[in-house]
Short mmCIF file of all heavy atoms in Angstrom, two decimals:
data_model
loop_
_atom_site.label_atom_id
_atom_site.label_comp_id
_atom_site.label_asym_id
_atom_site.label_seq_id
_atom_site.Cartn_x
_atom_site.Cartn_y
_atom_site.Cartn_z
N LEU A 1 -8.27 10.84 -7.48
CA LEU A 1 -7.46 11.10 -6.29
C LEU A 1 -7.88 12.38 -5.57
O LEU A 1 -7.26 12.76 -4.58
CB LEU A 1 -5.98 11.16 -6.67
CG LEU A 1 -5.42 9.86 -7.26
CD1 LEU A 1 -3.99 10.07 -7.74
CD2 LEU A 1 -5.51 8.72 -6.27
N CYS A 2 -8.92 13.06 -6.07
CA CYS A 2 -9.47 14.21 -5.36
C CYS A 2 -10.20 13.71 -4.12
O CYS A 2 -10.82 12.64 -4.14
CB CYS A 2 -10.42 15.01 -6.26
SG CYS A 2 -9.60 15.81 -7.66
N THR A 3 -10.15 14.48 -3.06
CA THR A 3 -10.67 14.03 -1.78
C THR A 3 -12.19 13.84 -1.78
O THR A 3 -12.69 12.81 -1.36
CB THR A 3 -10.28 15.02 -0.67
OG1 THR A 3 -8.86 15.14 -0.66
CG2 THR A 3 -10.77 14.56 0.69
N ASN A 4 -12.92 14.83 -2.23
CA ASN A 4 -14.37 14.82 -2.05
C ASN A 4 -15.13 14.59 -3.34
O ASN A 4 -16.08 15.31 -3.64
CB ASN A 4 -14.81 16.12 -1.39
CG ASN A 4 -14.27 16.23 0.03
OD1 ASN A 4 -14.33 15.28 0.78
ND2 ASN A 4 -13.73 17.38 0.37
N VAL A 5 -14.73 13.58 -4.10
CA VAL A 5 -15.47 13.22 -5.30
C VAL A 5 -16.04 11.82 -5.11
O VAL A 5 -15.45 11.00 -4.40
CB VAL A 5 -14.59 13.27 -6.58
CG1 VAL A 5 -14.05 14.66 -6.82
CG2 VAL A 5 -13.45 12.26 -6.49
N PRO A 6 -17.19 11.54 -5.71
CA PRO A 6 -17.71 10.18 -5.61
C PRO A 6 -16.69 9.18 -6.17
O PRO A 6 -16.09 9.40 -7.20
CB PRO A 6 -18.98 10.22 -6.49
CG PRO A 6 -19.35 11.66 -6.55
CD PRO A 6 -18.06 12.43 -6.46
N GLY A 7 -16.49 8.10 -5.44
CA GLY A 7 -15.53 7.09 -5.87
C GLY A 7 -14.09 7.47 -5.62
O GLY A 7 -13.18 6.85 -6.19
N SER A 8 -13.83 8.46 -4.77
CA SER A 8 -12.46 8.89 -4.50
C SER A 8 -11.59 7.72 -4.06
O SER A 8 -11.98 6.91 -3.22
CB SER A 8 -12.43 9.96 -3.41
OG SER A 8 -11.08 10.27 -3.06
N LEU A 9 -10.40 7.64 -4.64
CA LEU A 9 -9.43 6.61 -4.28
C LEU A 9 -8.24 7.19 -3.52
O LEU A 9 -7.24 6.50 -3.32
CB LEU A 9 -8.95 5.88 -5.53
CG LEU A 9 -10.03 5.08 -6.26
CD1 LEU A 9 -9.49 4.54 -7.58
CD2 LEU A 9 -10.54 3.95 -5.38
N ARG A 10 -8.34 8.46 -3.10
CA ARG A 10 -7.21 9.09 -2.43
C ARG A 10 -6.82 8.35 -1.15
O ARG A 10 -5.64 8.03 -0.95
CB ARG A 10 -7.51 10.55 -2.09
CG ARG A 10 -6.32 11.21 -1.42
CD ARG A 10 -6.52 12.64 -1.06
NE ARG A 10 -5.32 13.14 -0.41
CZ ARG A 10 -5.28 14.20 0.33
NH1 ARG A 10 -6.37 14.93 0.51
NH2 ARG A 10 -4.16 14.58 0.90
N ALA A 11 -7.77 8.04 -0.29
CA ALA A 11 -7.44 7.34 0.95
C ALA A 11 -6.92 5.94 0.66
O ALA A 11 -6.00 5.46 1.34
CB ALA A 11 -8.66 7.29 1.87
N PHE A 12 -7.47 5.29 -0.34
CA PHE A 12 -6.99 3.95 -0.71
C PHE A 12 -5.54 4.04 -1.19
O PHE A 12 -4.69 3.24 -0.77
CB PHE A 12 -7.88 3.35 -1.80
CG PHE A 12 -7.46 1.98 -2.24
CD1 PHE A 12 -7.64 0.89 -1.42
CD2 PHE A 12 -6.88 1.79 -3.48
CE1 PHE A 12 -7.25 -0.39 -1.82
CE2 PHE A 12 -6.48 0.52 -3.89
CZ PHE A 12 -6.67 -0.58 -3.06
N ALA A 13 -5.25 5.01 -2.06
CA ALA A 13 -3.88 5.17 -2.56
C ALA A 13 -2.91 5.48 -1.43
O ALA A 13 -1.81 4.94 -1.37
CB ALA A 13 -3.83 6.26 -3.63
N THR A 14 -3.32 6.35 -0.52
CA THR A 14 -2.46 6.72 0.60
C THR A 14 -2.21 5.52 1.51
O THR A 14 -1.09 5.30 1.97
CB THR A 14 -3.07 7.88 1.39
OG1 THR A 14 -3.32 8.97 0.49
CG2 THR A 14 -2.15 8.36 2.49
N THR A 15 -3.26 4.73 1.75
CA THR A 15 -3.13 3.56 2.62
C THR A 15 -2.33 2.46 1.95
O THR A 15 -1.35 1.94 2.50
CB THR A 15 -4.52 3.03 3.01
OG1 THR A 15 -5.24 4.05 3.69
CG2 THR A 15 -4.42 1.81 3.90
N GLU A 16 -2.72 2.09 0.75
CA GLU A 16 -2.12 0.92 0.09
C GLU A 16 -0.74 1.18 -0.51
O GLU A 16 0.04 0.26 -0.67
CB GLU A 16 -3.06 0.40 -0.99
CG GLU A 16 -4.35 -0.16 -0.44
CD GLU A 16 -4.15 -1.31 0.53
OE1 GLU A 16 -3.40 -2.26 0.19
OE2 GLU A 16 -4.72 -1.27 1.63
N LEU A 17 -0.47 2.43 -0.86
CA LEU A 17 0.83 2.74 -1.47
C LEU A 17 1.77 3.43 -0.49
O LEU A 17 2.89 3.81 -0.85
CB LEU A 17 0.64 3.63 -2.71
CG LEU A 17 -0.21 3.02 -3.82
CD1 LEU A 17 -0.44 4.05 -4.93
CD2 LEU A 17 0.43 1.76 -4.37
N GLY A 18 1.33 3.60 0.75
CA GLY A 18 2.13 4.28 1.76
C GLY A 18 3.31 3.45 2.24
O GLY A 18 3.49 2.29 1.86
N ASP A 19 4.09 4.06 3.10
CA ASP A 19 5.33 3.44 3.54
C ASP A 19 5.13 2.11 4.25
O ASP A 19 5.96 1.22 4.14
CB ASP A 19 6.10 4.41 4.45
CG ASP A 19 6.59 5.63 3.67
OD1 ASP A 19 6.74 5.53 2.44
OD2 ASP A 19 6.80 6.68 4.30
N ASP A 20 4.02 1.96 4.99
CA ASP A 20 3.84 0.70 5.70
C ASP A 20 3.61 -0.46 4.73
O ASP A 20 4.23 -1.51 4.86
CB ASP A 20 2.70 0.81 6.72
CG ASP A 20 1.39 1.25 6.10
OD1 ASP A 20 1.41 2.00 5.12
OD2 ASP A 20 0.34 0.82 6.60
N HIS A 21 2.76 -0.28 3.75
CA HIS A 21 2.55 -1.35 2.77
C HIS A 21 3.80 -1.54 1.89
O HIS A 21 4.14 -2.65 1.53
CB HIS A 21 1.33 -1.07 1.88
CG HIS A 21 0.06 -1.53 2.50
ND1 HIS A 21 -0.70 -0.72 3.31
CD2 HIS A 21 -0.57 -2.72 2.45
CE1 HIS A 21 -1.74 -1.39 3.73
NE2 HIS A 21 -1.69 -2.61 3.22
N TYR A 22 4.44 -0.45 1.55
CA TYR A 22 5.65 -0.51 0.73
C TYR A 22 6.70 -1.37 1.42
O TYR A 22 7.30 -2.25 0.81
CB TYR A 22 6.15 0.92 0.51
CG TYR A 22 7.32 1.06 -0.41
CD1 TYR A 22 7.16 0.94 -1.79
CD2 TYR A 22 8.58 1.34 0.09
CE1 TYR A 22 8.24 1.09 -2.64
CE2 TYR A 22 9.66 1.49 -0.76
CZ TYR A 22 9.48 1.36 -2.13
OH TYR A 22 10.55 1.51 -2.97
N GLU A 23 6.89 -1.14 2.71
CA GLU A 23 7.87 -1.91 3.48
C GLU A 23 7.44 -3.37 3.62
O GLU A 23 8.25 -4.29 3.53
CB GLU A 23 8.07 -1.29 4.86
CG GLU A 23 9.18 -1.89 5.67
CD GLU A 23 10.55 -1.56 5.14
OE1 GLU A 23 10.72 -0.52 4.49
OE2 GLU A 23 11.48 -2.35 5.39
N GLY A 24 6.15 -3.57 3.83
CA GLY A 24 5.64 -4.93 3.93
C GLY A 24 5.87 -5.72 2.65
O GLY A 24 6.39 -6.84 2.67
N TRP A 25 5.51 -5.14 1.52
CA TRP A 25 5.73 -5.81 0.23
C TRP A 25 7.22 -5.98 -0.04
O TRP A 25 7.64 -6.93 -0.70
CB TRP A 25 5.07 -5.04 -0.91
CG TRP A 25 3.60 -5.30 -0.99
CD1 TRP A 25 2.59 -4.48 -0.57
CD2 TRP A 25 2.96 -6.47 -1.51
NE1 TRP A 25 1.37 -5.06 -0.80
CE2 TRP A 25 1.57 -6.29 -1.38
CE3 TRP A 25 3.42 -7.65 -2.08
CZ2 TRP A 25 0.65 -7.24 -1.79
CZ3 TRP A 25 2.51 -8.61 -2.48
CH2 TRP A 25 1.13 -8.39 -2.33
N GLY A 26 8.03 -5.07 0.46
CA GLY A 26 9.47 -5.18 0.30
C GLY A 26 10.05 -6.40 1.00
O GLY A 26 11.16 -6.81 0.72
N ASN A 27 9.30 -6.97 1.92
CA ASN A 27 9.74 -8.15 2.66
C ASN A 27 9.03 -9.43 2.21
O ASN A 27 9.01 -10.42 2.92
CB ASN A 27 9.51 -7.93 4.16
CG ASN A 27 10.61 -7.10 4.77
OD1 ASN A 27 11.61 -7.63 5.22
ND2 ASN A 27 10.44 -5.79 4.77
N LEU A 28 8.46 -9.40 1.01
CA LEU A 28 7.74 -10.55 0.49
C LEU A 28 8.63 -11.79 0.38
O LEU A 28 8.20 -12.91 0.66
CB LEU A 28 7.12 -10.22 -0.87
CG LEU A 28 6.27 -11.30 -1.52
CD1 LEU A 28 5.10 -11.70 -0.63
CD2 LEU A 28 5.76 -10.82 -2.87
N LEU A 29 9.89 -11.60 0.01
CA LEU A 29 10.79 -12.74 -0.10
C LEU A 29 10.92 -13.46 1.25
O LEU A 29 10.98 -14.69 1.29
CB LEU A 29 12.17 -12.31 -0.63
CG LEU A 29 13.19 -13.43 -0.84
CD1 LEU A 29 12.67 -14.48 -1.83
CD2 LEU A 29 14.51 -12.84 -1.33
N HIS A 30 10.93 -12.70 2.34
CA HIS A 30 10.98 -13.31 3.67
C HIS A 30 9.78 -14.25 3.86
O HIS A 30 9.93 -15.36 4.38
CB HIS A 30 10.99 -12.23 4.75
CG HIS A 30 10.92 -12.78 6.14
ND1 HIS A 30 12.01 -13.32 6.78
CD2 HIS A 30 9.87 -12.92 6.99
CE1 HIS A 30 11.65 -13.74 7.98
NE2 HIS A 30 10.35 -13.52 8.13
N SER A 31 8.59 -13.82 3.44
CA SER A 31 7.40 -14.66 3.55
C SER A 31 7.53 -15.92 2.72
O SER A 31 7.17 -17.02 3.18
CB SER A 31 6.14 -13.90 3.10
OG SER A 31 5.81 -12.92 4.02
N VAL A 32 8.02 -15.78 1.52
CA VAL A 32 8.16 -16.93 0.63
C VAL A 32 9.15 -17.94 1.21
O VAL A 32 8.95 -19.15 1.12
CB VAL A 32 8.57 -16.48 -0.80
CG1 VAL A 32 8.93 -17.65 -1.68
CG2 VAL A 32 7.45 -15.65 -1.42
N LYS A 33 10.21 -17.44 1.82
CA LYS A 33 11.22 -18.34 2.38
C LYS A 33 10.78 -18.98 3.69
O LYS A 33 11.12 -20.13 3.97
CB LYS A 33 12.53 -17.58 2.62
CG LYS A 33 13.28 -17.26 1.36
CD LYS A 33 14.58 -16.55 1.69
CE LYS A 33 15.45 -16.40 0.45
NZ LYS A 33 16.75 -15.79 0.79
N THR A 34 10.03 -18.25 4.52
CA THR A 34 9.75 -18.71 5.88
C THR A 34 8.29 -19.06 6.14
O THR A 34 7.99 -19.74 7.11
CB THR A 34 10.15 -17.64 6.91
OG1 THR A 34 9.30 -16.50 6.73
CG2 THR A 34 11.61 -17.25 6.77
#
């Protein structure tokens, strides 16, 4: 999760675990129903 290391996953963690994805996954039941 360090910024400037080879193979850094910091940006991936920030993108994929951030509020936008969190909210999207929180609405998964809506997708399953509709």
Side-chain angles (χ1 to χ4, degrees):
L1 298 174
C2 293
T3 303
N4 294 315
V5 299
S8 174
L9 295 173
R10 181 180 179 200
F12 180 72
T14 304
T15 300
E16 294 301 310
L17 300 174
D19 293 336
D20 56 329
H21 275 90
Y22 185 75
E23 188 71 26
W25 281 103
N27 279 271
L28 183 59
L29 182 59
H30 175 79
S31 289
V32 171
K33 287 182 172 184
T34 66

